[in-house]
Amino acid sequence: MFSSTKFNFIIPIISVILGLVAGAIIMLIFGYNPVLGYQALWNGVFDSPFFMSETVNRITPYILTGLAIAFAFRTGLFNIGAEGQVLVGWVAAVWVGTAIDAPAFIHLPLALLAAAAAGAFWAFIPGILKAKLGVHEVIVSIMMNYIALHITNYLIRSVLTDNQETTEPVKQTASLTNDFLIGLTGSRLHLGFIVALLMVLIMWVILERTKLGYELKAVGYNQHASNYAGMKVERNIVISMLISGLFAGLAGAMQGLGSFGNAFTNTAFSNLGFDGIAVALLGGNNPFGVVLSASLFGFLKVGSLNMSTAGVPNEIIEIVIALIILFVASGFIIRWALLQLKKGEKK
């Protein structure tokens, strides 16, 4: 019989396979060659060090937004406001990165800290409203996304610049870029992936090796039982949202201090926060699973840009991603099918 742990491992793998197979069928239906399409997808990532490095850059913020959503899920919350937390973290990091003169060993950590604090503060608002007034965090956090979009645009135009759409580049002392990596790959590869992997370990330690993590998960499972056991439910709800927002804010810093090196106005969302929901679901809300699912998303997003060379529209990959998430969300069907197969083997 399959254990719960095995199911949690097998279902995402089967979901990915089913998503890719369904994508191939869709290509065939519309007259495209799936073999050439997926070959172009593969070459779009592994054909050169440049594209491999760009894939790592794409993976890095996905890891952090995936952690943000996964941490909230693991503690009984749904932080759909990660998108706004990414934006405020991005602008906060660039603000510190452009406004302060300091040695690199002070400037870069300070800019990262500013991004984390901004993201945590943006998550604190729905957290405190949930804890004190019982307002559902989904309602508040999704509205906070739009507030963040317009406030950050205002700050860029009126505070960080003189009515410009793009800020100055962050100072080198606050940048995550590295001359050696740039010279080696010719890409925008930066040191942010180290920060992301460090956050993976921190999340795992908090949830699996600390009293705080135990309490946060307990409150997520059952607030009434946790309160009866003497845990501070309201405090733990707020702490969960703060930590979740911290991860999302750092995802913004990866963009502002690394991939782009500046901040700019947006007419729409970056979708890093929303994609983080899919990353967390596919990763089973496990920090190490998030790394794998973020890697898959980065691979698909970057590789799809090369599919046009095979005459296949890259929008096909968006369909594949959607189908993968659909299969993950319908995991009970896969679970039932596996159990039926197991019963058939016994007969």
Side-chain angles (χ1 to χ4, degrees), residues 74-323:
R74 291 285 297 275
T75 55
L77 299 168
F78 188 2
N79 179 17
I80 202 171
E83 185 69 32
Q85 294 147 25
V86 168
L87 290 174
V88 297
W90 188 334
V91 170
V94 171
W95 196 342
V96 171
T98 56
I100 294 175
D101 288 310
F105 71 91
I106 295 176
H107 202 181
L108 178 56
L110 193 62
L112 291 172
L113 184 62
F121 171 74
W122 215 249
F124 168 80
I125 298 172
I128 195 69
L129 290 174
K130 166 86 170 182
K132 296 295 184 182
L133 301 176
V135 181
H136 204 291
E137 71 276 8
V138 169
I139 303 298
V140 179
S141 59
I142 200 167
M143 290 192 294
M144 295 290 289
N145 287 335
Y146 292 92
I147 297 172
L149 177 65
H150 296 295
I151 284 182
T152 52
N153 282 346
Y154 168 79
L155 289 173
I156 291 169
R157 292 192 185 105
S158 303
V159 179
L160 277 70
T161 70
D162 184 15
N163 203 29
Q164 301 295 316
E165 302 298 317
T166 306
T167 69
E168 294 293 323
V170 297
K171 295 175 181 176
Q172 190 58 38
T173 51
S175 177
L176 285 165
T177 57
N178 179 274
D179 291 338
F180 173 75
L181 293 177
I182 293 173
L184 186 66
T185 64
S187 71
R188 300 174 296 173
L189 183 63
H190 55 80
L191 299 174
F193 68 91
I194 297 175
V195 176
L197 294 178
L198 179 61
M199 292 302 109
V200 169
L201 293 175
I202 288 175
M203 174 174 164
W204 179 80
V205 169
I206 290 174
L207 289 179
E208 306 298 338
R209 292 293 183 268
T210 67
K211 176 186 174 184
L212 173 63
Y214 177 82
E215 290 192 4
L216 294 178
K217 289 186 290 184
V219 169
Y221 286 131
N222 192 316
Q223 293 185 17
H224 300 294
S226 300
N227 186 54
Y228 182 77
M231 299 178 190
K232 296 180 179 179
V233 173
E234 293 182 356
R235 184 200 68 176
N236 285 327
I237 289 173
V238 173
I239 290 175
S240 293
M241 288 299 290
L242 284 171
I243 296 174
S244 178
L246 180 152
F247 289 138
L250 284 174
M254 300 302 101
Q255 305 296 85
L257 304 179
S259 297
F260 295 97
N262 62 6
F264 44 84
T265 57
N266 293 281
T267 57
F269 293 120
S270 68
N271 285 331
L272 286 173
F274 295 129
D275 285 345
I277 299 172
V279 169
L281 287 173
L282 183 59
N285 298 321
N286 179 289
F288 302 110
V290 163
V291 175
L292 296 177
S293 59
S295 299
L296 175 66
F297 270 66
F299 168 81
L300 293 175
K301 292 282 188 177
V302 174
S304 67
L305 301 176
N306 191 53
M307 292 181 72
S308 60
T309 61
V312 180
N314 58 18
E315 287 81 5
I316 289 287
I317 290 302
E318 298 299 329
I319 298 174
V320 170
I321 290 173
L323 288 170

